[in-house]
Amino acid sequence: MHDGIVWSRLRLLVSALSAVSGCDTATPGGGEGFAEPGIPWAPLTYVAYRAPAPMVVDGSMDEPSWRQASWTSDFVDIEGSLRPLPRFRTRAKILWDDEFFYVGADMEEPDIWAKLTQRDAVIYYDNDFEVFIDPDGDTHEYYELEINAFGTEWDLLLIRPYRDGGPAINAWDIQALETAVAIDGTLNRHGDRDRGWSVEIAIPWSVLGEAANRPTPPEAGDQWRVNFSRVEWRTEVENGDYVRLLDNPSGRSRPEDNWVWSPQGLINMHYPEMWGIVQFSGDVVGEGTDSVSITEADRAKWELRRVYYRQRAWFAEHQRYADNLRDLGFVDLSWPITLESTEHLFVASLTLGDRTYRIRQDGRVW
C-alpha cells in the first residue's frame, strides 16, 4: 500500500469528524500490520530562550534576538538515516516571551513558487513549511500549522493522531496568529535563480493553552514536544505554470520530499512520540547556557509506546489485544511493565519511584 503523506492525508482528511484510522499501512521492513518507525527513538533537542522584547513578525529574521538564537540542526529526510539527505538546506529557530511562541525558518530554494491563496486550503499541495506542537507530550490534542511562500495559512487541531481515529478539526483557527514570509528572489518566475524564502510565526500562548493541560506560557525548564516539516515537490513548467510531478524520475515511490527537524522513521508526521524536545529557558537569548536532558519519564513512555505498537499489530492480525507481554515478544524486560487487556481495550503501565506512567489502546500516554 502506498504510504506517502499526501495520499494518507487525502484519505484521512475527507471529513474533520471522521474516525477513519491510518494504521493499515505496511510495516517498515516488510509485512502487513501497524506501521512502526524504522529508526531508533532519539528525539532531537533545542533550548528556546526568551526574547527581551516583542518580535516584529516580518519574515526577515534580522532582529538581534534572532541573530543570537541558535539554529536547529539542518533538516533531514522524514525517514532519517533510511533516506539520502535533502537536496536543499532547511533550518529553524525558536524564541518565546510572555505572549508568543516564535518560530523562524530559512529554506534554500532555487525556484520559489506557490499557488494557494485561500486560508485553510490544503497547503501541502504547494511547497510549504509546517509546525507541530504537542504541549504535554501525550500524543493527543496537538496543533499543526502550515504556510506556503504566499504566506497562506492552514491551521489544524488534532484530537488524536489519524492512526488512532483522529479527527482533525479543520475549522479551528489560531486567533491572533502572526505570520510573515520573506522572499530572497522572485516568486513564480521560472528561469531565474532564487536563493530561498524565510518564515516568521508568532503563536499566542492564549491559543496554545486551549489543549495544553499545563501552564502557558511555560515555566523555565518545561519541555514540549515540537517538530517542523518541509514539503518539497519536484515540478516542471507547462505553459508557464508550475506542475507537480507525481512520479519522480528516480523511481522513488513517493511523489514529494518531506524534510524534517527530528526524523520520524516513516513517512508520517503524525507520530508525535518521534518529535523533538524543546526546553524553555528563563534566560534572555544570548545570555543562557542551558542544556537539555531526555528525562526518565520520556524513556518510560517510549517503552510503553513499544507495547502499544505491538498491541496494534497483534490486534490487526487477531482482532483482539494480547493479554500478556510474552505474546508480544517482550521477554526479560528491564522495565517493570504491567499489562491489563480485554478483547478491545488495554492499558500498559510502568512505575518509576512514586510515579506510574500508562498507555492505552488509543495511543494516549500519560
Side-chain angles (χ1 to χ4, degrees), residues 99-100 115 133 147 208 215 220 288 309 326 351:
E99 299 297 325
F100 291 101
K115 294 185 177 183
I133 303 173
I147 187 168
L208 292 177
Y309 291 150
R326 188 174 296 274
T351 299

Side-chain angles (χ1 to χ4, degrees), residues 193-216:
R193 179 78 180 187
D194 303 323
R195 194 208 69 82
W197 58 295
S198 58
V199 175
E200 275 188 277
I201 298 169
I203 306 176
W205 296 115
S206 57
V207 173
L208 292 177
E210 291 177 3
N213 301 310
R214 63 190 311 175
T216 54

